[in-house]
PDB file of all heavy atoms in Angstrom:
ATOM      1  N   MET A 188      32.341  21.182  10.924  1.00 78.00           N
ATOM      2  CA  MET A 188      32.978  21.525   9.731  1.00 78.00           C
ATOM      3  C   MET A 188      33.134  23.113   9.517  1.00 78.00           C
ATOM      4  O   MET A 188      34.217  23.649   9.128  1.00 78.00           O
ATOM      5  CB  MET A 188      32.142  20.944   8.453  1.00 78.00           C
ATOM      6  CG  MET A 188      32.969  20.888   7.341  1.00 78.00           C
ATOM      7  SD  MET A 188      32.150  19.767   6.051  1.00 78.00           S
ATOM      8  CE  MET A 188      30.527  20.278   6.151  1.00 78.00           C
ATOM      9  N   ASP A 189      32.074  23.779   9.859  1.00 78.00           N
ATOM     10  CA  ASP A 189      32.071  25.293   9.627  1.00 78.00           C
ATOM     11  C   ASP A 189      32.664  25.935  10.776  1.00 78.00           C
ATOM     12  O   ASP A 189      32.637  27.212  10.828  1.00 78.00           O
ATOM     13  CB  ASP A 189      30.616  25.702   9.376  1.00 78.00           C
ATOM     14  CG  ASP A 189      30.170  25.015   8.093  1.00 78.00           C
ATOM     15  OD1 ASP A 189      30.901  24.781   7.198  1.00 78.00           O
ATOM     16  OD2 ASP A 189      28.956  24.885   8.041  1.00 78.00           O
ATOM     17  N   SER A 190      33.158  25.238  11.811  1.00 79.00           N
ATOM     18  CA  SER A 190      33.875  25.986  12.975  1.00 79.00           C
ATOM     19  C   SER A 190      32.864  26.829  13.689  1.00 79.00           C
ATOM     20  O   SER A 190      33.241  27.826  14.141  1.00 79.00           O
ATOM     21  CB  SER A 190      35.042  26.742  12.541  1.00 79.00           C
ATOM     22  OG  SER A 190      36.006  25.883  12.032  1.00 79.00           O
ATOM     23  N   LYS A 191      31.558  26.477  13.591  1.00 93.00           N
ATOM     24  CA  LYS A 191      30.568  27.334  14.341  1.00 93.00           C
ATOM     25  C   LYS A 191      30.411  26.654  15.684  1.00 93.00           C
ATOM     26  O   LYS A 191      29.473  26.116  16.222  1.00 93.00           O
ATOM     27  CB  LYS A 191      29.213  27.381  13.686  1.00 93.00           C
ATOM     28  CG  LYS A 191      29.124  28.282  12.535  1.00 93.00           C
ATOM     29  CD  LYS A 191      27.633  28.585  12.096  1.00 93.00           C
ATOM     30  CE  LYS A 191      27.107  27.402  11.551  1.00 93.00           C
ATOM     31  NZ  LYS A 191      25.781  27.645  11.029  1.00 93.00           N
ATOM     32  N   VAL A 192      31.554  26.784  16.453  1.00 96.00           N
ATOM     33  CA  VAL A 192      31.636  26.206  17.768  1.00 96.00           C
ATOM     34  C   VAL A 192      31.749  27.391  18.811  1.00 96.00           C
ATOM     35  O   VAL A 192      32.585  28.213  18.628  1.00 96.00           O
ATOM     36  CB  VAL A 192      32.690  25.247  18.005  1.00 96.00           C
ATOM     37  CG1 VAL A 192      32.662  24.687  19.425  1.00 96.00           C
ATOM     38  CG2 VAL A 192      32.563  24.131  16.994  1.00 96.00           C
ATOM     39  N   VAL A 193      30.903  27.538  19.686  1.00 97.00           N
ATOM     40  CA  VAL A 193      31.107  28.390  20.965  1.00 97.00           C
ATOM     41  C   VAL A 193      31.684  27.679  21.969  1.00 97.00           C
ATOM     42  O   VAL A 193      31.025  26.950  22.658  1.00 97.00           O
ATOM     43  CB  VAL A 193      29.716  29.138  21.232  1.00 97.00           C
ATOM     44  CG1 VAL A 193      29.923  30.188  22.291  1.00 97.00           C
ATOM     45  CG2 VAL A 193      29.032  29.715  19.996  1.00 97.00           C
ATOM     46  N   TRP A 194      32.917  28.008  22.369  1.00 97.00           N
ATOM     47  CA  TRP A 194      33.606  27.211  23.412  1.00 97.00           C
ATOM     48  C   TRP A 194      33.374  27.936  24.744  1.00 97.00           C
ATOM     49  O   TRP A 194      33.440  29.108  24.895  1.00 97.00           O
ATOM     50  CB  TRP A 194      35.089  27.269  23.237  1.00 97.00           C
ATOM     51  CG  TRP A 194      35.599  26.586  21.924  1.00 97.00           C
ATOM     52  CD1 TRP A 194      36.088  27.112  20.855  1.00 97.00           C
ATOM     53  CD2 TRP A 194      35.381  25.137  21.730  1.00 97.00           C
ATOM     54  NE1 TRP A 194      36.353  26.086  19.927  1.00 97.00           N
ATOM     55  CE2 TRP A 194      36.035  24.919  20.350  1.00 97.00           C
ATOM     56  CE3 TRP A 194      35.042  24.051  22.509  1.00 97.00           C
ATOM     57  CZ2 TRP A 194      36.104  23.594  19.831  1.00 97.00           C
ATOM     58  CZ3 TRP A 194      35.136  22.757  21.895  1.00 97.00           C
ATOM     59  CH2 TRP A 194      35.698  22.562  20.503  1.00 97.00           C
ATOM     60  N   CYS A 195      32.740  27.194  25.714  1.00 97.00           N
ATOM     61  CA  CYS A 195      32.486  27.658  26.930  1.00 97.00           C
ATOM     62  C   CYS A 195      33.235  27.051  27.986  1.00 97.00           C
ATOM     63  O   CYS A 195      32.979  25.706  28.188  1.00 97.00           O
ATOM     64  CB  CYS A 195      30.995  27.544  27.215  1.00 97.00           C
ATOM     65  SG  CYS A 195      29.916  28.309  26.015  1.00 97.00           S
ATOM     66  N   ASP A 196      34.083  27.707  28.740  1.00 95.00           N
ATOM     67  CA  ASP A 196      34.828  26.907  29.776  1.00 95.00           C
ATOM     68  C   ASP A 196      34.071  27.205  30.993  1.00 95.00           C
ATOM     69  O   ASP A 196      34.143  28.064  31.811  1.00 95.00           O
ATOM     70  CB  ASP A 196      36.349  27.625  29.909  1.00 95.00           C
ATOM     71  CG  ASP A 196      37.185  26.960  30.883  1.00 95.00           C
ATOM     72  OD1 ASP A 196      36.684  25.919  31.563  1.00 95.00           O
ATOM     73  OD2 ASP A 196      38.306  27.208  31.027  1.00 95.00           O
ATOM     74  N   VAL A 197      33.265  26.114  31.376  1.00 93.00           N
ATOM     75  CA  VAL A 197      32.397  26.152  32.508  1.00 93.00           C
ATOM     76  C   VAL A 197      32.910  25.133  33.466  1.00 93.00           C
ATOM     77  O   VAL A 197      32.250  24.882  34.610  1.00 93.00           O
ATOM     78  CB  VAL A 197      30.949  25.861  32.207  1.00 93.00           C
ATOM     79  CG1 VAL A 197      30.317  26.921  31.269  1.00 93.00           C
ATOM     80  CG2 VAL A 197      30.690  24.483  31.539  1.00 93.00           C
ATOM     81  N   GLY A 198      34.105  24.545  33.350  1.00 84.00           N
ATOM     82  CA  GLY A 198      34.698  23.723  34.324  1.00 84.00           C
ATOM     83  C   GLY A 198      34.064  22.309  34.287  1.00 84.00           C
ATOM     84  O   GLY A 198      33.118  22.047  33.690  1.00 84.00           O
ATOM     85  N   THR A 199      34.783  21.431  34.945  1.00 76.00           N
ATOM     86  CA  THR A 199      34.339  19.972  35.048  1.00 76.00           C
ATOM     87  C   THR A 199      34.947  19.454  36.305  1.00 76.00           C
ATOM     88  O   THR A 199      36.097  19.733  36.590  1.00 76.00           O
ATOM     89  CB  THR A 199      34.518  19.144  33.941  1.00 76.00           C
ATOM     90  OG1 THR A 199      34.344  17.765  34.305  1.00 76.00           O
ATOM     91  CG2 THR A 199      35.969  19.223  33.432  1.00 76.00           C
ATOM     92  N   SER A 200      34.348  18.738  37.119  1.00 64.00           N
ATOM     93  CA  SER A 200      34.966  18.119  38.339  1.00 64.00           C
ATOM     94  C   SER A 200      35.268  16.773  37.984  1.00 64.00           C
ATOM     95  O   SER A 200      35.824  15.999  38.843  1.00 64.00           O
ATOM     96  CB  SER A 200      34.013  18.186  39.583  1.00 64.00           C
ATOM     97  OG  SER A 200      32.800  17.573  39.125  1.00 64.00           O
ATOM     98  N   TRP A 201      35.056  16.261  36.797  1.00 67.00           N
ATOM     99  CA  TRP A 201      35.216  14.867  36.399  1.00 67.00           C
ATOM    100  C   TRP A 201      36.145  14.704  35.354  1.00 67.00           C
ATOM    101  O   TRP A 201      36.014  15.126  34.178  1.00 67.00           O
ATOM    102  CB  TRP A 201      33.886  14.344  36.091  1.00 67.00           C
ATOM    103  CG  TRP A 201      34.040  12.778  35.885  1.00 67.00           C
ATOM    104  CD1 TRP A 201      34.034  12.005  34.722  1.00 67.00           C
ATOM    105  CD2 TRP A 201      34.267  11.898  36.896  1.00 67.00           C
ATOM    106  NE1 TRP A 201      34.183  10.871  34.991  1.00 67.00           N
ATOM    107  CE2 TRP A 201      34.444  10.580  36.276  1.00 67.00           C
ATOM    108  CE3 TRP A 201      34.369  11.934  38.273  1.00 67.00           C
ATOM    109  CZ2 TRP A 201      34.564   9.486  37.059  1.00 67.00           C
ATOM    110  CZ3 TRP A 201      34.573  10.846  39.028  1.00 67.00           C
ATOM    111  CH2 TRP A 201      34.726   9.635  38.383  1.00 67.00           C
TER     112      TRP A 201
END
Side-chain angles (χ1 to χ4, degrees):
Chain A
M188 199 164 46
D189 300 328
S190 297
K191 280 196 293 186
V192 182
V193 183
W194 297 112
C195 303
D196 187 356
V197 296
T199 169
S200 59
W201 189 252

